Amino acid sequence: MDAPAPAAATPAADAAPASAADAAAPSAPPDNAGAAPANKGGDAAKQSGDSDAKPGGESGADGEAAPDPAAESGATAQPGLATKRNGYVRRAREIYGGDRVAGDKIIINLTGSETTVTLQPMSPTEVDFAQYAFVPPAEWETLRLEFRDTRTALLRGSRGHGRTTMAIRLLQTVRATGIYLLRPQVDLTRLADRITGQRIPPGSAFLLTDPDDLASLHEHAFLSLEAALQEADARLVVTVETDAALPKGDLLRYQVTLPAAPERHHVLLRHLEYRLDETRAAEILGSADIRALVAEQLTETATCETAATLALHLSRCQDEDGRIDVDRVRARVLQSRVDEFDGWFENLRDVELRSFAIALAVLHGLSYDEMSAAAHELRDLLVKGDTVIHSGNADIQQVHRRDVFRFGRAQLLKRLQARIVEEVPGSVPTMAVEFIDRTYAQRVLERAWHGYQIQDDLISWLDGLVATGSDMVRVFASQALGHLAVLSFDYLCRHVFNTWAGHDNFRYREAAAAALGVAARQETLRPHVTALVAGWYGNREKPLLQSTAALAHGTGLGAADPTVAFDMLYRLAMVDDLWVRLMIARGVTWLLAEEDDYQEQLMPRLYAMIERCANDERRAEAGQWMFVFVASDLQNDVPDGESVSAWPTLLRLAGSSGELRRRLVQMLVWVLTAGGPRSEFAHRVLRSWAAMAESNPSLRDALTKLARSVLKHDARAGAIIQRLAWQWNSEDELLPLPQIASAIGALTAPVYPGRAVA
């Protein structure tokens, strides 16, 4: 069907409410202004026209205007909202989805006035690895020469980049006769006193990895240590993470920066050669099955230890004929990771640490500040009075009073096996935090849900994140809830989804739909999700449930079959309820935001559906909301020389297709001349497009050409755009847009005999 002709636009305009207040309550009688809001579970939701059909579930006091639907639903709060949200979804989806042989122990006790420091020799296996399986990183020779004359060194490097192995290898190059491990809790300020006068074998070296009390380090302690070490003919090496904050700048002279780890495939090869021989190692890694396994295991986040562990299992999983059982290797690698994870998690001995671990699992990759605040909220939920949480044999120490100085950031990240990642999403610098092993995020969430009796507390906590969190936090919380639905679908249906789907706060409805989108991607759960959403979809008694069903068709259900999703959303558009119409529009934007290529493929279908709505008086308003939401919420990054710039998706596609351009012009004419809240919404959308175009010549030219086409197609709509352009640069405009306003204002309107121009 062609785009709506001017005659088709007229009935839609007539059917539209005359004001935003009318739109907020499309069919509410005047004496209904004081109706009570709906209950959380949606049980009090009435048919269209009752109070909960209004955005927010309630109207204002007598005489007070009803809330703006655009503001209530979050629309136009920030241009490109759906595109940004989809970026958050992609990041959230990424979340859900060594051989140590001890030899004879030689114990050295450093006695002191108060405590005794026990030294444990480095494992012979690790010493051998450093000597015979070491892969020199870039600039190794320069590093070795810098270290050669150093008695005390502070090595800075990234976790997982082989810091310990590099430290051992450096000590071997200066012929250390024995390398002893110091516990992280050691007091370095008193270590010099303990070393002095002790019978330490000449040439000994002490290795301390990530000391707990990093804040106590200062130059005086190192000077004292150097004197004691010189007398004992010994060395001290302390390794810290690259981003660890040192308390004193005078420690700079002791710092040595370690290079990045060598390529993980080289580490794998060298360890395999060490365990077998060069010929056999080459044969194994030349197999197609093994190459596929290696590519699967040695991802971008793989550590040097991951490569060494893989070499161990490859060397041990050979049959009598030398064939390697790939499935057996994979199972052993998985078991190694499970054992490592179990040991780490069980050593988080109190509620506060485990709260931080769970918060990081849900908000993995988000800012440290967001994660920390969420962790404290969870901790406060879990600590109720003097309740102590137990699980099996795990001994969780209860912390009754929160000590905000208990863990510094560096110490906390160390305990969580996490790291800071400097990111710049958009233009706002962010200090993000993530687990070093990204698989920990999913595993922590699963352990928390199935391993302890805190299901209701976790739901309450996620409820709070959805209710008060930022857009990004809400998306991540929804995705985490969706993963929990994969684990316990029936339980969450009873305790969360059926309640949230009818909630008078649209944030809960969005979260429920997004979580079901995650669950629907599981083939075994998809029929159950479809049945659940179908029950909401057909519930004419509760429009809020229908609005959630509309959103669900824009997530996992719609992504699986867009044709079905468009048909379901079109049919639902006949429901005379504002929230249903708004959430149909939002569901469409979610569906189109999946992939850039997806947009070009589906945009003709969207225009066709909106045109069908335009020719049906019952669906015309829903069609207008679809168009303005897509125009507002979808953006793409377009190459612009050496950089990229954001473009409205509809305008970008119009530049590559004459048919899409024709339809965009006709849709703009239809909405701009309709009057009512959709037209006002369209005004704000054009203002946001103009702001993007002001400093972008290419986009400014495209928007000007679009305005010219609108002016040519319909003088009234063109005059509206020119009037808006004048406002963008008026003296009452706090953020004027002179360039785009001038370009559009200079357009000449064609003359149509007998037709008035508004």
Side-chain angles (χ1 to χ4, degrees), residues 143-173:
L143 175 64
R144 186 186 68 80
L145 294 175
E146 182 181 357
F147 179 82
R148 183 178 58 185
D149 299 323
T150 303
R151 182 69 65 178
T152 305
L154 192 63
L155 304 184
R156 301 183 72 113
S158 301
R159 186 186 293 267
H161 282 219
R163 293 178 301 159
T164 300
T165 302
M166 286 191 214
I168 296 171
R169 187 59 189 152
L170 285 172
L171 290 170
Q172 289 173 341
T173 63

Side-chain angles (χ1 to χ4, degrees), residues 721-733 741 744-745:
I721 292 180
Q722 287 190 308
R723 184 173 68 248
L724 292 173
W726 176 84
Q727 293 174 354
W728 299 338
N729 197 36
S730 70
E731 61 182 14
D732 295 331
E733 177 62 58
I744 293 178

Side-chain angles (χ1 to χ4, degrees), residues 102 110 246 287 366 411 413 565 689 754:
L110 300 181
L246 296 179
S287 165
L366 300 193
Q411 185 181 7
L413 294 179
W689 286 15

